[in-house]
């Protein structure tokens, strides 16, 4: 037999021929660009348009007979029961189960599911509402009525049940039953919206007397001023003017002076004007209202004369009345209440009484002399040796400017600087002269300002900006910056140095800027200064093709790293390495990137004693520390040298012992 053939019971079958390997090779696809290009935006828009379309056809199950229907229902019920058994508190499982039974027209089973769900969580509002909706949808009105009756009995504070109950009864035309439901609801004294719903229902059926009775009960339970006004407007709409007046009168008596709201009085006055039966004219009614407020303010002032907020409100009331004599009387009485101590915190609110008084005289009565007198009296009253208010001085000077008394304003501000110099006074005076383009005076004021407070970096910067931006004096600007950085104490030196360096960079004086960086590093070796220095060197333009700026920046990073390492500043080293890493990612070679990456530390968690620890109660706290690879090498080196020295000493000892033995 030929070994290449196989034998079976049906004869000889030859071995199939070998497949052609060339045919199995994959053909190379055409990788050239398609003639029609599709953008990512088109793909996303098409996906968004088709997101609701089914990606595949859902197979439909056809039920042929009752037996298959019974099996299908049994299988679905088992799935629902399993889901409920896994999590009985998931209400959505119960609702889905009941809705499915309803879809199968199995209403008794659906009710059974809802009842079981209520046994699990009877406080859940959604179950009750879905249960009621099912009954109403299937026109089981009595079932729905019984359900709502149970719900309102068990959960009387849930307004959704009451609203649904009354709406259902009214929709069915059972207005007496709806009224009975509202009456049951009102016994629980619900919020205002519930009462208004009851009133609106009565008005829909033209039951005005019933609505009036509900309003009366409503106001007795919620006696807010707005509710009294609602009731009065209702009676006014019914043209019952006597009842409306009676309501307003009852409101005034009930609220009294303590709870009386001005809105009630205004509404009462407007009603009387509209009815044309008011006692007196409009001005007389407004005078009555203002008189009520005066009595209240006087009472509060008697209780606490130093309550400046009451004085503000009182003065505002009199200003609205329009009697200058009364306004001045209130302001004079108010400013007479001098704070009890010469501490600025007591005077901050009081000083605005003077300001408002002066503004009223200037703007409303236009009494210029009286305004000037108010400012003078205020300045005389202030204890300038302890504290002062720059706002008063500046407002007084601005007032004189408005009166075209420029010299008087200058004398006033010069007097203020002489008596009680403050930064705000200098800034305000300089701003005044700057607006009038008196730049020589600005220079003089800046000189005095810096003599008064040489540590104010903001003043130095503004002085230099005046010389450079406004006057174009570059050398004077540089001289001012040199004087500034030479000061022994500065409040914000980082801003000053940055402004000076930015000035030199803007002038393209790169050597001066580099010299400033070196001078700054002699004073402080902060990591941010090194990073800024490196970025500066990188930004300097050189000849095309030159990498001098990259070399200089890398040298600064390297030098800064050695300094941080020498001072054992771990956090600063990490910040520097992150900046250095970003720099090498953009400008370095693979070798440079790897060198910086090897310097990156490993973060470890450690424990240490907390500051609050005591000998009896030791508290440990966790913190994160950095372990740098080059520090580990440096720490291992002394140990290696000790081992080498010990080995050398042992060799010498062994050599001596051998000589003695010989």
């Amino acid at each position: 037999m030929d070994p290449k053939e196989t034998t079976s019971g049906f004869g000889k079958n030859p071995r199939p021929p070998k497949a052609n390997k060339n045919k199995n090779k994959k053909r190379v696809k055409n990788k050239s660009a398609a003639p029609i290009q599709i953008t990512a935006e088109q793909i996303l828009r098409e996906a968004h348009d088709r997101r609701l379309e089914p990606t595949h056809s859902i197979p439909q199950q056809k039920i042929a007979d009752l037996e298959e229907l019974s099996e299908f229902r049994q299988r679905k019920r088992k799935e629902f029961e399993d889901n409920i058994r896994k999590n009985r508190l998931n209400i959505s499982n119960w609702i889905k189960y009941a809705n499915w039974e309803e879809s199968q027209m199995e209403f008794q089973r659906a009710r059974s599911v809802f009842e079981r769900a209520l046994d699990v969580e009877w406080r859940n509002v959604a179950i009750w509402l879905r249960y009621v909706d099912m009954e109403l949808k299937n026109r089981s009105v009595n079932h729905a009525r019984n359900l709502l009756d149970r719900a309102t009995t068990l959960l009387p504070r849930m307004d959704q049940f009451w609203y649904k109950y009354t709406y259902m009864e009214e929709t069915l035309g059972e207005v007496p039953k709806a009224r009975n439901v509202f009456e049951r609801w009102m016994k629980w004294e619900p919020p205002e919206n519930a009462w208004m719903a009851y009133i609106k229902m009565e008005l829909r059926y033209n039951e005005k007397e019933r609505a009036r009775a509900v309003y009366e009960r409503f106001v007795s339970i919620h006696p807010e001023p707005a509710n009294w006004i609602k009731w009065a407007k209702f009676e006014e709409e019914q043209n019952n003017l006597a009842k409306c007046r009676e309501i307003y009168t009852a409101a005034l008596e009930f609220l009294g002076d303590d709870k009386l709201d001005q809105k009630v009085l205004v509404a009462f006055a407007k009603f009387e004007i509209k009815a044309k039966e008011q006692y007196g004219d409009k001005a007389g009614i407004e005078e009555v209202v203002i008189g009520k407020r005066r009595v209240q303010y006087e009472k509060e002032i008697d209780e606490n004369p130093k309550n400046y907020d009451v004085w503000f409100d009182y003065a505002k009331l009199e200003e609205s009345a329009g009697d200058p004599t009364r306004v001045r009387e209130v302001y004079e009485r108010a400013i007479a209440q001098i704070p009890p101590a010469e501490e600025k915190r007591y005077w901050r609110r009081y000083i605005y009484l003077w300001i408002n008084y002066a503004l009223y005289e200037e703007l409303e009565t236009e009494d210029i002399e009286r305004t000037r007198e108010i400012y003078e009296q205020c300045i005389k009253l202030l204890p300038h040796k302890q504290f002062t208010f720059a706002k008063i001085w500046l407002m007084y000077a601005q007032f004189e400017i408005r009166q075209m008394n420029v010299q008087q304003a200058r004398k006033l501000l010069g007097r203020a600087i002489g008596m009680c110099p403050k930064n705000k006074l200098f800034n305000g005076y300089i701003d005044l002269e700057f607006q009038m383009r008196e730049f020589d005076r600005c220079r003089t004021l800046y000189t005095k300002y810096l003599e008064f407070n040489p540590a104010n970096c903001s003043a130095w910067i503004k002085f230099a900006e005046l010389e450079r931006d406004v006057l174009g004096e570059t050398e004077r600007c540089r001289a001012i910056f040199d004087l500034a950085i030479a000061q022994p104490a500065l409040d914000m030196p980082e801003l000053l140095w940055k402004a000076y360096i930015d000035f030199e960079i803007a002038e393209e004086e790169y050597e001066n800027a580099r010299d400033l960086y070196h001078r700054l590093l002699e004073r402080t070796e902060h990591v941010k200064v090194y990073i800024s220095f490196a970025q500066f060197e990188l930004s300097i333009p050189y000849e095309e093709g030159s990498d001098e700026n990259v070399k200089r920046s890398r040298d600064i990073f390297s030098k800064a790293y050695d300094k941080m390492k020498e001072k054992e500043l771990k956090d600063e080293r990490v910040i520097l390495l992150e900046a250095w890493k970003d720099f090498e990612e953009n400008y370095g070679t693979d070798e440079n990137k790897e060198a910086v990456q090897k310097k990156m530390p490993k973060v470890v968690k450690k424990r240490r004693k907390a500051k609050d620890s005591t000998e009896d109660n030791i508290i440990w706290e966790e913190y994160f520390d950095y372990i740098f690879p080059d520090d580990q090498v440096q720490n291992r080196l002394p140990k290696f040298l000790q081992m080498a020295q010990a080995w050398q000493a042992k060799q010498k000892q062994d050599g001596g012992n051998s000589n003695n033995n010989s």
Side-chain angles (χ1 to χ4, degrees):
M1 187 188 308
D2 192 346
K4 295 182 180 180
E5 297 179 353
T6 57
T7 305
S8 66
F10 298 96
K12 298 179 180 180
N13 294 326
R15 183 176 297 176
K18 293 182 180 179
N20 190 354
K21 294 182 179 180
N22 295 330
K23 292 183 179 179
N24 292 336
K25 289 184 178 179
K26 295 182 179 179
R27 295 181 179 180
V28 178
K29 295 182 178 180
N30 185 5
K31 296 184 178 180
S32 60
I36 300 176
Q37 297 293 318
I38 301 175
T39 63
E41 182 182 0
Q42 289 174 306
I43 296 173
L44 291 174
R45 188 184 295 112
E46 190 172 338
H48 182 270
D49 294 339
R50 297 183 180 181
R51 70 190 188 282
L52 298 178
E53 299 178 5
T55 57
H56 59 278
S57 60
I58 301 173
Q60 295 182 354
Q61 183 177 1
K62 294 183 179 180
I63 299 174
D65 52 19
L66 292 176
E67 186 177 355
E68 289 185 6
L69 178 61
S70 178
E71 290 178 359
F72 167 72
R73 287 177 174 177
Q74 187 176 359
R75 185 169 62 254
K76 290 292 291 184
R77 288 186 181 113
K78 185 178 183 302
E79 291 177 3
F80 283 121
E81 292 290 346
D82 290 342
N83 290 335
I84 289 171
R85 194 178 299 109
K86 290 177 184 177
N87 188 358
R88 297 175 66 249
L89 298 179
N90 190 348
I91 303 303
S92 63
N93 290 336
W94 292 98
I95 294 176
K96 290 177 183 177
Y97 191 5
N99 290 339
W100 182 81
E101 292 289 1
E102 181 191 358
S103 68
Q104 300 297 312
M105 307 302 289
E106 294 284 350
F107 300 120
Q108 290 298 333
R109 287 182 176 273
R111 291 188 185 104
S112 176
V113 174
F114 274 122
E115 292 294 339
R116 289 168 59 194
L118 290 175
D119 289 339
V120 174
E121 186 55 64
W122 62 273
R123 291 185 178 87
N124 192 292
V125 178
I127 299 175
W128 289 99
L129 295 178
R130 293 294 182 89
Y131 196 178
V132 172
D133 289 340
M134 184 197 75
E135 298 292 1
L136 291 175
K137 188 164 55 177
N138 295 284
R139 300 187 178 183
S140 299
V141 177
N142 289 330
H143 281 286
R145 187 177 285 122
N146 292 336
L147 276 175
L148 288 170
D149 190 71
R150 287 169 56 194
T152 53
T153 302
L154 293 173
L155 300 169
R157 294 297 181 185
M158 294 296 176
D159 295 341
Q160 299 99 314
F161 299 147
W162 294 105
Y163 282 120
K164 200 170 192 66
Y165 201 175
T166 56
Y167 177 74
M168 182 192 73
E169 296 292 0
E170 188 178 356
T171 304
L172 295 172
E174 300 288 347
V175 179
K177 290 184 178 180
R179 187 177 291 116
N180 291 335
V181 175
F182 268 119
E183 287 296 330
R184 286 176 53 195
W185 190 7
M186 296 305 110
K187 291 179 181 179
W188 291 95
E189 298 183 0
E192 299 174 6
N193 292 335
W195 292 91
M196 297 308 298
Y198 190 8
I199 293 168
K200 288 178 182 178
M201 189 201 74
E202 296 291 1
L203 292 176
R204 279 196 293 272
Y205 299 98
N206 204 23
E207 296 286 348
K208 297 179 181 178
E209 289 298 327
R210 290 182 180 273
R212 185 174 289 113
V214 176
Y215 257 123
E216 188 172 355
R217 292 161 57 194
F218 167 47
V219 172
S220 64
I221 293 173
H222 297 285
E224 284 77 16
N227 297 335
W228 288 96
I229 296 173
K230 287 180 183 178
W231 187 14
K233 286 185 177 180
F234 162 73
E235 296 293 350
E236 187 178 352
E237 290 173 359
Q238 306 305 320
N239 203 22
N240 193 347
L241 303 182
K243 185 65 176 178
C244 185
R245 187 176 291 108
E246 182 183 342
I247 292 168
Y248 279 122
T249 305
L252 295 176
E253 292 177 357
F254 180 84
L255 296 173
D257 294 336
D258 297 333
K259 299 180 180 179
L260 181 61
D261 193 344
Q262 189 172 354
K263 293 180 181 179
V264 178
L265 293 170
V266 172
F268 194 6
K270 288 181 178 179
F271 161 73
E272 294 290 2
I273 294 171
K274 190 183 297 184
K276 297 181 180 180
E277 296 181 5
Q278 72 270 17
Y279 298 98
D281 54 1
K282 181 178 179 180
I285 296 173
E286 291 180 352
E287 183 63 29
V288 171
V289 176
I290 293 173
K292 288 271 189 181
R293 303 302 294 173
R294 285 195 188 110
V295 172
Q296 182 180 351
Y297 287 139
E298 290 290 346
K299 182 179 178 181
E300 293 179 6
I301 289 170
D302 290 339
E303 293 174 358
N304 183 10
K306 297 290 192 293
N307 189 346
Y308 300 122
D309 291 332
V310 178
W311 286 111
F312 283 121
D313 295 338
Y314 198 177
K316 187 176 180 181
L317 175 70
E318 295 296 349
E319 287 181 20
S320 65
D323 187 355
T325 305
R326 281 186 172 275
V327 176
R328 286 167 179 159
E329 180 185 355
V330 172
Y331 273 121
E332 291 292 340
R333 290 171 58 196
I335 61 178
Q337 302 298 327
I338 301 174
E342 291 185 353
E343 295 182 23
K344 195 167 185 176
R345 58 193 179 97
Y346 295 116
W347 290 65
R348 293 186 188 277
R349 192 71 174 143
Y350 167 76
I351 204 66
Y352 278 93
L353 289 170
W354 289 92
I355 293 173
N356 288 3
Y357 190 10
L359 292 175
Y360 171 76
E361 292 291 351
E362 180 185 1
L363 302 178
E364 298 297 331
T365 64
E366 298 181 357
D367 191 338
I368 304 305
E369 290 301 324
R370 194 177 186 88
T371 305
R372 187 176 287 111
E373 183 181 353
I374 291 169
Y375 280 120
E376 283 292 339
Q377 292 298 324
C378 180
I379 288 173
K380 290 179 181 178
L381 181 65
L382 288 173
H384 299 289
K385 293 183 179 179
Q386 280 74 25
F387 60 86
T388 190
F389 288 94
K391 190 176 187 66
I392 287 291
W393 292 99
L394 293 174
M395 289 188 69
Y396 191 5
Q398 291 165 2
F399 162 74
E400 294 293 353
I401 291 292
R402 288 192 292 271
Q403 309 309 316
M404 302 300 177
N405 294 330
V406 179
Q407 294 300 326
Q408 184 66 25
R410 284 173 176 157
K411 290 180 181 179
L412 181 65
L413 290 175
R415 173 182 160 200
I417 291 173
M419 291 178 60
C420 44
K422 290 184 66 176
N423 293 337
K424 289 184 179 179
L425 285 173
F426 278 107
N427 289 328
Y429 197 177
I430 292 170
D431 184 58
L432 173 66
E433 297 293 354
F434 183 82
Q435 291 178 8
M436 292 189 292
R437 296 298 185 264
E438 293 287 347
F439 299 121
D440 289 335
R441 289 181 177 274
C442 291
R443 282 174 173 167
T444 305
L445 287 171
Y446 269 122
T447 303
K448 293 182 179 180
Y449 187 5
L450 294 171
E451 288 176 359
F452 161 69
N453 186 7
N456 191 333
C457 291
S458 177
W460 287 104
I461 294 171
K462 289 181 179 179
F463 192 7
E465 289 176 351
L466 172 70
E467 296 291 350
R468 181 192 64 185
D469 299 337
V470 180
L471 303 176
E473 296 287 347
T474 305
E475 292 302 322
R476 289 178 68 94
C477 177
R478 186 175 286 112
I480 290 169
F481 274 125
D482 284 332
L483 284 174
I485 62 175
Q487 299 301 315
L490 295 168
D491 55 359
M492 291 184 292
E494 64 279 2
L495 295 181
L496 181 62
W497 282 92
K498 183 180 183 304
Y500 195 0
I501 292 170
D502 290 344
F503 160 72
E504 295 292 0
I505 294 174
E507 296 294 326
E508 297 184 358
E509 296 289 346
Y510 300 119
E511 286 298 330
N512 292 344
R514 186 178 291 114
D515 180 62
L516 284 174
Y517 270 115
H518 286 298
R519 291 165 64 185
L520 179 58
L521 289 172
E522 291 176 359
R523 297 194 178 192
T524 175
E525 293 183 343
H526 198 278
V527 63
K528 290 185 178 180
V529 178
Y530 279 106
I531 294 173
S532 177
F533 193 7
Q535 293 173 348
F536 158 74
E537 291 290 357
L538 194 62
S539 65
I540 296 178
Y542 285 92
E543 295 180 359
E544 187 175 356
S546 174
D547 60 347
E548 182 66 23
N549 52 357
V550 176
K551 291 180 181 179
R552 285 178 177 272
S553 298
R554 187 175 290 115
D555 292 341
I556 292 170
F557 277 119
S558 178
K559 180 181 178 182
Y561 182 79
D562 294 338
K563 289 288 185 182
M564 301 298 119
K565 179 181 176 181
E566 181 183 349
K567 294 184 177 182
E568 298 182 356
L569 301 175
K570 294 186 176 181
D571 293 335
E572 287 77 0
R573 286 169 72 183
V574 173
I575 296 172
L576 183 72
L577 284 173
E578 291 292 340
W580 195 358
K581 182 180 176 182
D582 293 339
F583 163 76
E584 296 294 354
E585 289 289 338
N586 294 320
Y587 303 99
T589 61
D590 293 339
E591 183 180 354
N592 294 329
K593 296 176 186 177
E594 185 179 358
V596 176
Q597 187 63 37
K598 289 181 179 179
K599 295 178 183 293
M600 297 300 290
K602 181 173 68 174
V603 182
V604 295
K605 186 185 291 186
K606 294 184 179 181
R607 295 177 64 198
R608 62 187 174 191
K609 290 183 180 180
K611 295 181 179 180
D612 300 335
S613 299
T614 58
E615 295 181 358
D616 299 333
N617 184 20
I618 298 177
I619 302 173
W620 297 91
E621 64 178 6
E622 293 184 347
Y623 71 100
F624 292 97
D625 195 9
Y626 299 103
I627 297 178
F628 293 86
D630 46 3
D631 287 350
Q632 290 181 314
V633 173
Q634 186 177 1
N635 293 335
R636 285 197 298 267
L637 187 60
K639 186 176 181 180
F640 173 76
L641 292 175
Q642 291 176 4
M643 293 174 64
Q645 292 174 357
W647 178 82
Q648 187 177 9
K650 185 177 181 181
Q651 291 294 325
K652 289 182 179 180
Q653 185 177 1
D654 292 343
N657 292 336
S658 61
N659 293 332
N660 293 333
N661 292 333
S662 62

